[in-house]
Amino acid sequence: MSDTIRVALLGNPNAGKSALFNKLTGARQKIANYPGVTVERVAGMLTLPDGTQMEAIDLPGAYAFDASSPDEDVTRKVVQGEFPGEAEPDILVLVLDAGNLEQHLVFAQEVLALGKPTIVALNMVDMAERDGLKLDATVLSQALGVPVIETVAVRRRGIEALKAAIAEARGQVGTLADRPKMDATERRLEARTIAKATVFQTSRARRIGDRLDNVLLNPWIGPLILLVLLFVIFQAVFAWAAPLSDALDAGAGALGEWVKAEMPASILRDFLTEGVIAGVGSVIVFLPQIIILFLFILIMEATGYMARAAFLMDRLMAGVGLSGRSFIPLLSSFACAIPGIMATRSIADPKDRLTTILIAPLMTCSARLPVYGVLIAAFIPARDVGMGIGLQGLVMFCLYLAGIVAALVVALVLRGTLTKGEATGFIMELPRYQLPSIADIAIGLWQRAWVFLRRAGTIIFSATVILWVLLSFPQAEPGESQVDVSIAGQIADGLNVVLEPIGFNREISLALVPAMAAREVAVSALATTYAIDASDEEAEAEGLASTLSTRWSLPTALAFLAWFVFAPQCLSTIAVTRRETNGWKWPAFMVGYLFALAYIFAGITYWSAVALGL
């Protein structure tokens, strides 16, 4: 028997495994990479109470041996002695989070089934006790058939007992090695049984949380509750934001009137009223709707419900060939596709990751909200359809739902063709339910409001100024339309040849060009375009929504909404896609298929509405 034994520490991520390793080995650690992979190898030496030298290896966190990431693959190979150049461990130290025992016991059963000498370190027992949990380590030891040592790594509690247990563990074999092999579902049921027997006292808050999970995570009731919640959110976006949006709209109109009254007629006055105030102001009026939307999102995150929503969506994602890991990046894309695409780095499967990147722009980001808001306000009556449900909020909900459905359908097609592959499941730890912090919510809302205002003051302002210049020159002669003779008008005439068949007019064709900088610019572009040709009496007498309602047909408005469900109107998103895919091949494909879908569905929507006589 060698004078030096090898001990591997393993367990789920966030079990406190690395903290325990650090307390065992102190500063005597060596960090390198496993050969051929980017995964770190961390090892350290220590002396056991009986004088035996021990090499401890801190293995990457894993949820299962059925590897779905490079980290899990390394852990499996090292534990089973299959990693080239790496000797098989003599003893395993399995680290479990005492506060999340049921989840961690699923992987524990896989480890113990190997029949290797194993010790369980029941870690973070102080945190569990703080949350009102009381556990019986003896019961857990009997159920698992191996020694269980209670530890609090950060306070060195249980460290000496763990060393003593390691010294005695050589040659030990866990009793789970003799049990029939279980599948994932059977291991989860067994984990629940063992956890219930081990935890003999829980807090009232945890009991309430468990009851809530029984309802919110129910495979039938849970998705229905999520759907109703999303529906309520979009109802609130219109109902609550209307007074504030009207006030901002009136303020922008009053400011424009004041500038006209205080300044003589000039190019500068036209620039301020038709370009800056009409253009940028038409976007800022939607700030209340964006704040209300993010208010709900932040509350869902802070209370712990957002993770439950991800759990509910996992089954749906797997149905279209995506990994459950794709849900979080797609969820992030509801705020903005850019962080959503960057978040795909956590997806190990390259084809799964590529699919998620390609469909992320279909998630309805906050930049679409001003476009949806102005058209819904212009063409959808503000009336109830029954049971207190507003028609405007219902249409907004349907637009968001259309983006989700489109993304899932595209994912299904891609996973069956260009990015063909099998869906891989994932395990996530559900956070505790808690009351949201008002201060944290306020900070989050301010950050998102500032991002929106900064875009209005930079990207939208710049695009609006450029468009105003193109619309204002050359100057029209008396009796001529300024838009007709302008550079921008001539560009729009050329584009409209392509877009007229799907019901778009010249103003829409013109607005789509600067809107490539950011989707919100479509609203400011339309406002600036109509302000250019409006008379002084008309210019500020009505807002953009009122102007559109008199100048557009309903089929055209519906086609424009359908266009923005699909169109990749964001250069920043395209640039990030290029960076994340290391080339122009997939960004070009993404732009091509999204514009094709936008054109097809806008046309279908327009001609269907015309056929119905709308």
Side-chain angles (χ1 to χ4, degrees):
M1 190 174 288
S2 173
D3 292 331
T4 300
I5 63 171
R6 291 170 49 82
V7 177
L9 279 71
L10 71 164
N12 286 178
N14 305 315
K17 175 175 52 64
S18 295
L20 191 63
F21 173 82
N22 291 337
K23 294 300 180 184
L24 283 170
T25 60
R28 293 167 295 174
Q29 300 178 9
K30 292 183 179 180
I31 302 175
N33 275 4
Y34 283 98
V37 294
T38 58
V39 179
E40 280 190 345
R41 183 188 189 278
V42 184
M45 298 296 297
L46 68 148
T47 303
L48 296 176
D50 63 357
T52 303
Q53 290 296 305
M54 167 183 142
E55 181 188 20
I57 308 163
D58 185 14
L59 293 177
Y63 288 110
F65 284 140
D66 183 12
S68 59
S69 72
D71 284 356
E72 290 179 330
D73 189 46
V74 166
T75 295
R76 178 184 61 79
K77 287 182 177 179
V78 171
V79 168
Q80 297 183 351
E82 299 173 358
F83 201 97
E86 188 82 16
E88 184 176 353
D90 300 304
I91 298 171
L92 304 179
V93 173
L94 179 60
V95 185
L96 307 182
D97 177 4
N100 197 13
L101 190 58
E102 181 180 330
Q103 174 64 59
H104 287 229
L105 281 172
V106 178
F107 180 48
Q109 293 176 81
E110 276 198 87
V111 175
L112 293 170
L114 298 174
K116 298 179 181 293
T118 304
I119 299 165
V120 168
L122 188 61
N123 200 30
M124 298 191 285
V125 291
D126 59 331
M127 301 291 288
E129 290 168 354
R130 188 196 65 182
D131 293 340
L133 292 180
K134 291 188 178 180
L135 300 89
D136 191 329
T138 302
V139 171
L140 181 60
S141 177
Q142 292 171 348
L144 299 180
V146 296
V148 175
I149 308 299
E150 294 187 0
T151 60
V152 179
V154 294
R155 298 180 184 175
R156 297 192 60 85
R157 175 178 162 187
I159 297 297
E160 295 305 318
L162 180 59
K163 289 181 180 180
I166 292 172
E168 298 174 2
R170 302 178 77 177
Q172 171 220 47
V173 177
T175 57
L176 292 189
D178 301 326
R179 296 187 183 181
K181 188 176 180 179
M182 295 187 291
D183 60 24
T185 301
E186 291 170 331
R187 286 196 300 272
R188 184 162 293 280
L189 291 173
E190 182 69 9
R192 180 171 300 177
T193 301
I194 296 173
K196 285 184 177 179
T198 303
V199 179
F200 62 88
Q201 181 176 316
T202 60
S203 65
R204 181 171 178 270
R206 188 175 284 266
R207 289 195 297 272
I208 293 174
D210 290 342
R211 294 191 187 104
L212 283 173
D213 279 343
N214 288 337
V215 176
L216 297 179
L217 299 182
N218 182 281
W220 300 105
I221 301 175
L224 182 61
I225 292 175
L226 177 60
L227 196 65
V228 170
L229 178 60
L230 293 175
F231 182 78
V232 170
I233 289 173
F234 295 117
Q235 290 291 315
V237 163
F238 267 95
W240 297 0
L244 294 173
S245 295
D246 291 344
L248 287 174
D249 195 20
L255 180 61
E257 289 292 341
W258 179 80
V259 170
K260 284 189 174 182
E262 295 297 321
M263 293 181 65
S266 63
I267 287 291
L268 178 59
R269 190 186 79 170
D270 291 344
F271 166 70
L272 291 175
T273 56
E274 299 167 357
V276 177
I277 297 175
V280 178
S282 64
V283 176
I284 291 178
V285 298
F286 293 98
L287 178 60
Q289 293 183 338
I290 289 173
I291 288 177
I292 290 171
L293 176 63
F294 277 109
L295 173 64
F296 279 98
I297 291 175
L298 289 171
I299 290 174
M300 290 167 68
E301 289 176 345
T303 56
Y305 181 73
M306 192 65 81
R308 272 85 183 168
F311 179 84
L312 289 171
M313 292 296 292
D314 178 46
R315 187 177 304 166
L316 179 61
M317 304 292 287
V320 297
L322 284 176
S323 159
R325 289 181 172 84
S326 298
F327 179 78
I328 299 300
L330 293 177
L331 188 65
S332 301
S333 299
F334 277 103
C336 178
I338 294 172
I341 290 172
M342 294 174 66
T344 61
R345 295 172 184 174
S346 63
I347 302 174
D349 185 334
K351 291 185 177 180
D352 199 352
R353 179 176 182 239
L354 177 59
T355 306
T356 307
I357 289 173
L358 294 176
I359 66 171
L362 286 168
M363 298 295 104
T364 305
C365 66
S366 58
R368 287 183 173 101
L369 194 55
V371 180
Y372 290 169
V374 71
L375 289 174
I376 290 173
F379 292 95
I380 307 301
R383 67 165 185 257
D384 288 346
V385 294
M387 300 176 63
I389 298 173
L391 181 59
Q392 291 182 327
L394 178 62
V395 172
M396 178 72 79
F397 173 74
C398 290
L399 289 169
Y400 270 74
L401 195 61
I404 295 171
V405 172
L408 294 177
V409 172
V410 170
L412 184 62
V413 172
L414 289 175
R415 292 296 275 170
T417 53
L418 296 178
T419 60
K420 192 171 184 178
E422 296 294 328
T424 56
F426 85 129
I427 299 173
M428 65 181 302
E429 297 184 16
L430 298 180
R432 291 175 298 158
Y433 289 102
Q434 57 187 357
L435 292 174
S437 165
I438 295 177
D440 290 345
I441 297 294
I443 291 172
L445 288 177
W446 165 249
Q447 290 172 340
R448 285 155 178 80
W450 175 244
V451 168
F452 177 75
L453 292 173
R454 189 171 59 196
R455 284 168 66 92
T458 54
I459 297 174
I460 297 173
F461 175 78
S462 301
T464 301
V465 169
I466 294 171
L467 178 62
W468 178 83
V469 172
L470 294 176
L471 282 165
S472 299
F473 298 98
Q475 291 283 306
E477 298 294 335
E480 290 183 318
S481 165
Q482 178 58 43
V483 174
D484 286 343
V485 301
S486 68
I487 298 172
Q490 295 174 43
I491 294 173
D493 287 338
L495 287 174
N496 203 45
V497 174
V498 178
L499 296 175
E500 189 176 18
I502 61 173
F504 285 9
N505 54 35
R506 184 180 61 180
E507 289 75 21
I508 293 176
S509 301
L510 179 59
L512 291 181
V513 177
M516 284 301 298
R519 291 181 176 93
E520 310 99 309
V521 177
V523 174
S524 62
L526 289 170
T528 299
T529 301
Y530 285 116
I532 288 288
D533 258 353
S535 66
D536 288 344
E537 293 76 17
E538 295 172 335
E540 301 299 335
E542 54 186 13
L544 178 60
S546 298
T547 301
L548 297 181
S549 66
T550 58
R551 301 200 183 197
W552 290 15
S553 67
L554 180 56
T556 292
L558 295 176
F560 194 55
L561 287 173
W563 174 275
F564 267 91
V565 169
F566 299 96
Q569 300 279 158
C570 182
L571 288 176
S572 298
T573 298
I574 298 169
V576 169
T577 302
R578 186 259 172 213
R579 186 181 67 190
E580 294 298 315
T581 58
N582 298 315
W584 283 108
K585 173 185 174 182
W586 291 113
F589 171 78
M590 182 183 77
V591 171
Y593 98 79
L594 287 174
F595 269 131
L597 289 179
Y599 193 91
I600 292 169
F601 279 93
I604 291 173
T605 302
Y606 176 76
W607 290 109
S608 297
V610 170
L612 293 172
L614 299 180

